[in-house]
Amino acid sequence: MDIRVSGHQVETGAALQTHAEERLGAIVDKHFSRALSSNVTLGKAPHGGFRCDIVTHVTQGLILKGSAIAQDAHVALDQSAEKIEKQLRRYRRRIKDRHEGADHARKADEANFQVQEAAYTVFVHDEASEEEPADAPLVIAETRVDVPTASVSDAVMMLDLRNTNALLFKNAGTGVHNMVYRRGDGSIGWVEPK
């Protein structure tokens, strides 16, 4: 697995890079031997200490994210890695529970995702309405987004694994684009157009 450690306004020494490689290598070897890459970014936290963000590409379409803030860089790395390991354990447990046979688990693990292009758009601030204060922030669209074809329960699992607030997906049963999102009370919402 390719592990890249970088610092954002912080020097990353050889000891931290070695620690990251050992920690993430052990997690991947234990849970998922075919992981592709991991990016570890270490930076300063707002109120002192360090913030560590880890993005791990396990397979095509399966991205795990973990972040933590601690007073020590190694502790922040360990806490982020623990979140990644917890997500991998959940993912493996769900795959095992859902698919009794090894054939089904392999198919779910290596699901093919369609990648659709989204135009990169920046909505320009109107010069004429500059006197009035703007109530909404500037809206920026991403250039690429993967829209997986999945069942609703698989989409909820991907929402948890990607550690995001919302996930757009193509419903495998209906063929229509749906969205699942995390509500303010912690429950999951599901949007299905008519």
Side-chain angles (χ1 to χ4, degrees), residues 110-152:
E110 298 172 355
N112 292 327
F113 297 104
Q114 296 175 345
V115 176
Q116 297 182 358
E117 292 291 330
Y120 183 77
T121 307
V122 177
F123 297 96
V124 181
H125 179 257
D126 188 14
E127 298 287 331
S129 66
E130 194 166 324
E131 294 106 23
E132 299 177 20
D135 290 335
L138 182 66
V139 177
I140 300 174
E142 296 289 334
T143 56
R144 294 191 80 170
V145 61
D146 60 333
V147 180
T149 301
S151 66
V152 177

Side-chain angles (χ1 to χ4, degrees), residues 66-113:
S67 63
I69 297 175
Q71 292 299 318
D72 183 47
H74 292 271
V75 173
L77 175 72
D78 286 338
Q79 290 174 352
S80 297
E82 285 175 16
K83 291 179 181 179
I84 296 288
E85 186 171 17
K86 184 176 181 180
Q87 291 172 3
L88 271 173
R89 277 197 312 265
R90 282 185 188 164
Y91 176 72
R92 289 191 57 196
R93 187 178 329 117
R94 286 179 180 172
I95 293 297
K96 184 178 178 184
D97 290 347
R98 284 194 86 192
H99 307 287
E100 294 297 321
D103 221 351
H104 290 6
R106 184 182 51 79
K107 287 179 185 176
D109 190 29
E110 298 172 355
N112 292 327
F113 297 104

Side-chain angles (χ1 to χ4, degrees), residues 39-73:
N39 294 323
V40 179
T41 306
L42 190 71
K44 296 237 181 219
H47 302 289
F50 297 93
R51 176 183 175 95
C52 182
D53 295 308
I54 301 175
V55 178
T56 301
H57 298 272
V58 180
T59 61
Q60 181 180 356
L62 179 60
I63 300 170
L64 306 177
K65 297 177 183 177
S67 63
I69 297 175
Q71 292 299 318
D72 183 47

